[in-house]
Amino acid sequence: MVHLKIDGNTVTVPEGTTILHAAEQIGIHIPRLCYHPDLSVEGACRICIVEVENNSNFLPSCATKVHENMQVQTNSPEIRRARRDLIELILDNHPRECQTCERDGNCELQNLAYTLGVRERLFEGRRKKYKIEKSSPSVIRDTEKCILCRRCVRVCSEIQGVYNLSQLYRGFDTVVAPAYNAPMEESVCIACGQCINVCPVAAFIENNSTEQVWQALADPKKHVIVQIAPSIRAAIGEGFNQLPGTSMTGQTVTALRRLGFDAVFDTNFGADLTIVEEANELVNRLESGEKLPLLTSCSSGWIKFLEHFYPELIPFASTCKSPMSMLSTLLKTYYAELVKIDPKDIHVVAVMPCVAKKFEIQRPELASPHGYPYTDSVLTTRELVWMIKAYGIDFVHLPEQEFDAPLGFSTGAADIFGTTGGVMEAALRTAAEKLTGQPIKEINFTQVRQVKGLKEASVKIGDTSLNVAVANGLTNAKTILEKVKNKEKEFHLIELMACPGGCIGGGGQPYPPEGYYVLDPEIIKLRAQALYKIDEAKSVRLSHENKFIKKLYQDYLKYPGSEVAHKLLHTSYSPREPKGIK
Amino acid sequence: MKQSIELDSKISNFIESCLQKPNHKSYLIAVLHKIQQHYGYLSLEHMNMVAHRLQVPTSMVSGVATFYHYFRLKPRGKYAISICLGTACFVKGADKVLEAFETELGIKMGETTPDGLFSLENSRCLGVCALAPVITINERIFSKVTAQNVPGLINKVKMEIPMTE
Ligand code: SF4
Ligand code: SF4
Ligand code: SF4
Ligand code: FES
């Protein structure tokens, strides 16, 4: 242990601790910008400078380790002046656009400028001039706003293993961009949106679809249907100052009705259906012993990663469409027939925690045979929060309402789809009954529950033992996929989700509330708990026991894996250029 | 990215030998140097090829290639204008000369004019500091150049007038 003094207070911390962390122990929050607790230390912005005795220069506290008897000063008129100067320098060549900016009100730069007391702008620096790069349906790059903290570069390489971004050129011309400064659409970007999450400013934002949705809602000829992903209900409250982990299913349904949607359905229904189809696929593969392990396919970011980086493993991926796409397909076929509306007059909106879903809906192989897409617009949780606010709905005090029937009914197995390990657990519940032909005794597969990035487990079902693995964050996915490729271990089922913690940590979720940081494992944990609680409270917790799913098979799909099920609910993948380097 | 172009066998062998070494990714700069020496610049196809052979992400390769002034990403012009920015030349106004070339040709240091005629690069000290500022155009040395000389020089080169000092 190391003993030191920070602002006159004695602190004892383990060796190797940074000054920034040591200060946190005694309630001192040193301002910071490029630093992120889950990423490597960059030391680029120097906002976190402190004074250390016997050092003539201020030192960056995020990058400086403590030593015995260190004397640290985190505050003095000079330090405050220096920090303010640093922020002023950044602002000198930053657009003056706060009021019209997507991050207005939740921008870290804005926030720091305020806290550090920047009240006037003395200089007008040379301004960087770049066009907004809008090639990707998911992620937009606004280089003029970039402050070169490199958090995006680090998240994309360290957490996602995609290495799409790097710093190009030098000096004043430095930009953060994909290789060769190519448009995002022509890069290996998997559209996960984690760069949006970690960016302290609006240099990365989602490709906004709200205008498209307002227009559909205002069009009297359109039957506008909305579906919401499992993880929305556990996170949307944060957009309205609720504590992380507050579930707001009922309020969300009411808000969507007030916004004018003609029908409010639940992606959960699609999740239950996915499980029935995927469990069937798993059982078939187990019986034939072919194409194992089965790799789950609901995370669009992961699937794009598969196509760029592991095309050789495509045959192992489940052919099931994502729950969103399954439901959307049914909405323009089964449901359209039921309510006798021409599918061309239906506009399907999906509220997703994810920006990769904006990419998914444009996949040609997911379009209807008539050429129109099954999903018309994807909104992120953030975009929906904004729409609700823009409409003037007092979200928190709304009465709770139920989803519409039949495609709004779901089992507890569907709710947990939103968290890492949830798809695995839901699949195991159904597969166990299919494999043994008996009702399962223990419905909770706690072995696969955790928010850790990577987990392997062995699950006993009847006489068979299944080797399973769960990975979130694609660096973790790589670890498992390499094991599969090198045949290090025999796996049967692997759940993969692109985002840290699964969909609850998606690239479209609300920016963190006060007291938390973005990708904070604490937030992820609370959101996951909310989903497990919803699951536990439901009377039906096995996807194949969803009564409307049963009816759907009876009336329309016949049986799991049937020809029509394949036509409507399954898809295919193909290798994608540019090829990723692992 | 399609890899339709060939790589010089010497460079190819060099990459192969790097792959045998423990920290092979650290040879990236060395490999890029060899490519530039051989081909005069780093083409996108070559950078891609190096990335795949060394298994270094393309974003890193282009990060390195764009960071160092030394690397050029476009072919050299027919006339490579090289301006010494060493201390002596700099003090005598080499920066003004560079500026004049940049305005006159409409390109920046390290770039090539769209017609492929001129490219601008900087050189290390040529050891003739008494003659500062010094520039070279291809193999020829010009001394005591001023910003005012620049348009004339460019014209001479364009008209292929035998260049005298
Ligand atoms: S990124 Fe932040 S500081 Fe920059 S314009 Fe937007 S809100 Fe203002
Ligand atoms: S969306 Fe994901 S893959 Fe694409 S640049 Fe951002 S972090 Fe990287
Ligand atoms: S895009 Fe955002 S996260 Fe990336 S370097 Fe710029 S400011 Fe930082
Ligand atoms: S936060 Fe420490 S240098 Fe940026």
Side-chain angles (χ1 to χ4, degrees):
Chain A
M1 295 303 258
V2 179
H3 311 266
L4 69 154
K5 275 206 162 144
I6 303 182
D7 298 343
N9 306 293
T10 310
V11 201
T12 308
V13 290
E15 210 171 309
T17 309
T18 60
I19 298 176
L20 184 129
H21 278 148
E24 277 174 356
Q25 312 275 310
I26 50 167
I28 297 173
H29 184 87
I30 301 173
R32 64 211 55 192
L33 191 49
C34 66
Y35 173 76
H36 188 282
D38 302 335
L39 303 173
S40 64
V41 172
E42 185 78 35
C45 74
R46 305 190 82 81
I47 299 294
C48 66
I49 44 172
V50 293
E51 201 178 317
V52 175
E53 202 183 47
N54 297 329
N55 271 281
S56 49
N57 294 329
F58 293 147
L59 299 178
S61 61
C62 72
T64 311
K65 303 224 160 91
V66 297
H67 59 70
E68 191 63 26
N69 291 327
M70 198 182 219
Q71 305 271 345
V72 180
Q73 202 60 44
T74 71
N75 255 291
S76 72
E78 293 74 33
I79 297 174
R80 287 196 296 271
R81 163 93 258 158
R83 289 187 188 140
R84 200 160 63 222
D85 287 349
L86 285 165
I87 289 289
E88 279 175 359
L89 273 175
I90 296 175
L91 291 177
D92 278 347
N93 53 39
H94 193 84
R96 297 184 177 221
E97 282 176 14
C98 293
Q99 292 80 357
T100 50
C101 179
E102 196 56 48
R103 291 296 294 263
D104 189 19
N106 58 26
C107 166
E108 289 182 43
L109 178 60
Q110 211 182 38
N111 217 329
L112 265 180
Y114 176 77
T115 344
L116 296 182
V118 180
R119 291 294 178 278
E120 54 184 336
R121 285 176 69 161
L122 300 171
F123 306 101
E124 192 62 47
R126 185 144 74 96
R127 200 56 72 64
K128 302 182 263 188
K129 284 271 167 258
Y130 295 97
K131 283 209 190 73
I132 298 181
E133 205 273 283
K134 290 186 179 170
S135 64
S136 153
S138 306
V139 185
I140 285 182
R141 222 159 50 82
D142 187 352
T143 306
E144 286 187 7
K145 289 185 182 148
C146 173
I147 56 168
L148 299 175
C149 70
R150 289 168 52 98
R151 281 197 207 162
C152 57
V153 176
R154 285 175 280 157
V155 83
C156 189
S157 53
E158 294 167 17
I159 308 279
Q160 296 302 51
V162 173
Y163 295 89
N164 183 42
L165 302 170
S166 80
Q167 205 161 295
L168 302 182
Y169 310 107
R170 56 186 293 164
F172 188 76
D173 298 322
T174 308
V175 294
V176 163
Y180 318 122
N181 212 351
M184 294 291 270
E185 195 50 4
E186 291 163 30
S187 71
V188 289
C189 173
I190 56 132
C192 67
Q194 289 306 332
C195 48
I196 304 177
N197 271 354
V198 298
C199 181
V201 291
F204 272 116
I205 46 167
E206 64 256 72
N207 201 337
N208 196 297
S209 310
T210 51
E211 190 45 43
Q212 207 183 340
V213 176
W214 288 129
Q215 274 175 21
L217 286 170
D219 184 345
K221 290 193 295 294
K222 285 273 176 214
H223 184 74
V224 191
I225 306 174
V226 65
Q227 56 163 311
I228 69 162
S231 64
I232 308 299
R233 60 211 75 195
I236 190 169
E238 291 162 39
F240 301 91
N241 302 323
Q242 300 300 292
L243 291 174
T246 314
S247 4
M248 314 225 58
T249 319
Q251 289 86 345
T252 310
V253 174
T254 312
L256 291 167
R257 287 214 176 93
R258 292 205 182 171
L259 281 172
F261 287 100
D262 298 303
V264 182
F265 290 135
D266 198 348
T267 310
N268 276 14
F269 185 89
D272 274 334
L273 189 57
T274 302
I275 283 305
V276 174
E277 287 293 320
E278 202 166 86
N280 178 63
E281 206 176 6
L282 176 66
V283 170
N284 287 343
R285 292 197 195 181
L286 286 171
E287 276 164 6
S288 69
E290 274 166 23
K291 294 196 275 185
L292 288 171
L294 177 69
L295 309 176
T296 61
S297 60
C298 17
S299 160
S300 341
W302 141 245
I303 288 298
K304 192 163 189 270
F305 180 80
L306 172 74
E307 294 175 324
H308 280 291
F309 290 81
Y310 285 92
E312 64 276 21
L313 295 181
I314 284 177
F316 297 91
S318 161
T319 57
C320 288
K321 289 183 185 174
S322 71
M324 172 192 82
S325 287
M326 282 201 183
L327 186 60
S328 296
T329 309
L330 289 177
L331 288 172
K332 290 197 183 177
T333 52
Y334 172 69
Y335 173 81
E337 286 168 35
L338 220 63
V339 294
K340 302 195 175 59
I341 298 178
D342 184 344
K344 288 198 185 66
D345 295 330
I346 295 179
H347 187 102
V348 174
V349 177
V351 184
M352 295 285 132
C354 176
V355 294
K357 287 278 185 262
K358 290 178 187 261
F359 167 81
E360 180 184 319
I361 63 170
Q362 297 191 352
R363 281 175 173 269
E365 64 273 19
L366 289 181
S368 90
H370 311 285
Y372 51 78
Y374 283 124
T375 317
D376 297 278
S377 322
V378 165
L379 296 173
T380 60
T381 320
R382 288 189 292 262
E383 288 173 87
L384 178 61
V385 168
W386 174 76
M387 285 184 77
I388 293 173
K389 287 182 179 168
Y391 206 84
I393 295 169
D394 179 6
F395 183 77
V396 178
H397 299 109
L398 284 181
E400 298 185 36
Q401 292 181 356
E402 300 273 333
F403 288 103
D404 288 312
L407 302 173
F409 181 84
S410 67
T411 76
D415 290 286
I416 59 175
F417 251 67
T419 170
T420 176
V423 176
M424 171 67 68
E425 180 164 350
L428 288 174
R429 288 180 190 173
T430 291
E433 294 211 342
K434 284 201 108 189
L435 282 168
T436 58
Q438 317 253 324
I440 49 169
K441 287 184 219 90
E442 181 48 59
I443 199 160
N444 295 327
F445 287 83
T446 46
Q447 312 91 301
V448 296
R449 289 189 186 180
Q450 40 91 48
V451 282
K452 229 175 36 189
L454 186 57
K455 179 144 193 172
E456 293 178 29
S458 201
V459 179
K460 218 156 164 57
I461 290 178
D463 322 317
T464 35
S465 179
L466 295 185
N467 290 334
V468 301
V470 174
N472 62 77
L474 293 167
T475 301
N476 295 316
K478 275 187 186 176
T479 311
I480 283 289
L481 295 172
E482 286 301 317
K483 282 194 187 179
V484 171
K485 270 183 67 179
N486 303 331
K487 303 204 162 50
E488 254 172 68
K489 184 172 165 187
E490 197 188 320
F491 289 104
H492 301 100
L493 177 60
I494 301 179
E495 178 208 278
L496 301 119
M497 296 191 189
C499 291
C503 311
I504 45 175
Q509 294 282 40
Y511 292 113
E514 181 103 21
Y516 296 90
Y517 62 88
V518 65
L519 299 184
D520 195 334
E522 198 50 39
I523 299 190
I524 306 281
K525 209 170 77 199
L526 292 168
R527 289 177 184 164
Q529 278 168 7
L531 292 179
Y532 284 121
K533 265 197 219 130
I534 301 178
D535 168 34
E536 243 142 63
K538 282 198 177 169
S539 53
V540 189
R541 297 175 63 197
L542 298 168
S543 294
H544 57 283
E545 287 183 358
N546 180 330
K547 57 182 184 232
F548 291 104
I549 295 268
K550 285 187 185 166
K551 188 165 158 42
L552 173 70
Y553 277 107
Q554 256 166 31
D555 298 352
Y556 203 71
L557 298 172
K558 300 195 180 97
Y559 52 90
S562 71
E563 201 178 312
V564 355
H566 259 276
K567 210 175 93 208
L568 295 177
L569 308 179
H570 291 252
T571 182
S572 61
Y573 320 105
S574 26
R576 203 173 272 281
E577 293 287 331
K579 186 162 174 14
I581 292 174
K582 287 172 254 212
Chain B
M1 205 65 60
K2 301 274 169 298
Q3 299 191 2
S4 48
I5 52 161
E6 296 284 313
L7 195 59
D8 176 65
S9 65
K10 274 208 208 86
I11 302 174
S12 192
N13 292 341
F14 178 68
I15 296 179
E16 224 34 63
S17 72
C18 293
L19 287 172
Q20 308 306 318
K21 293 175 190 153
N23 201 357
H24 65 262
K25 295 189 183 183
S26 64
Y27 292 88
L28 172 62
I29 294 189
V31 175
L32 293 179
H33 266 284
K34 287 206 184 306
I35 293 195
Q36 171 144 318
Q37 258 168 25
H38 191 266
Y39 297 98
Y41 75 110
L42 303 177
S43 69
L44 205 125
E45 290 78 9
H46 278 139
M47 285 194 276
N48 253 321
M49 197 176 273
V50 172
H52 283 271
R53 292 280 296 272
L54 281 179
Q55 285 290 297
V56 179
T58 45
S59 59
M60 284 186 184
V61 175
S62 62
V64 166
T66 57
F67 183 79
Y68 294 101
H69 277 322
Y70 171 82
F71 291 122
R72 35 182 41 258
L73 305 176
K74 293 201 189 93
R76 267 187 158 176
K78 184 168 172 207
Y79 301 105
I81 303 169
S82 182
I83 298 159
C84 175
L85 292 176
T87 318
C89 287
F90 199 86
V91 174
K92 291 275 177 112
D95 54 335
K96 297 271 160 11
V97 176
L98 169 62
E99 242 181 67
F101 272 114
E102 287 185 337
T103 350
E104 208 57 39
L105 297 172
I107 54 171
K108 291 238 169 298
M109 172 72 87
E111 295 179 347
T112 304
T113 51
D115 57 10
L117 266 189
F118 296 97
S119 53
L120 274 180
E121 46 198 81
N122 70 359
S123 68
R124 305 245 171 88
C125 180
L126 298 169
V128 282
C129 302
L131 304 175
V134 179
I135 70 161
T136 59
I137 300 183
N138 292 350
E139 308 293 294
R140 309 211 48 163
I141 299 184
F142 298 83
S143 55
K144 300 203 170 157
V145 182
T146 63
Q148 284 84 337
N149 296 155
V150 167
L153 264 175
I154 293 174
N155 258 333
K156 269 191 192 172
V157 175
K158 264 195 191 152
M159 302 169 81
E160 308 238 20
I161 293 173
M163 287 175 281
T164 49
E165 282 154 46

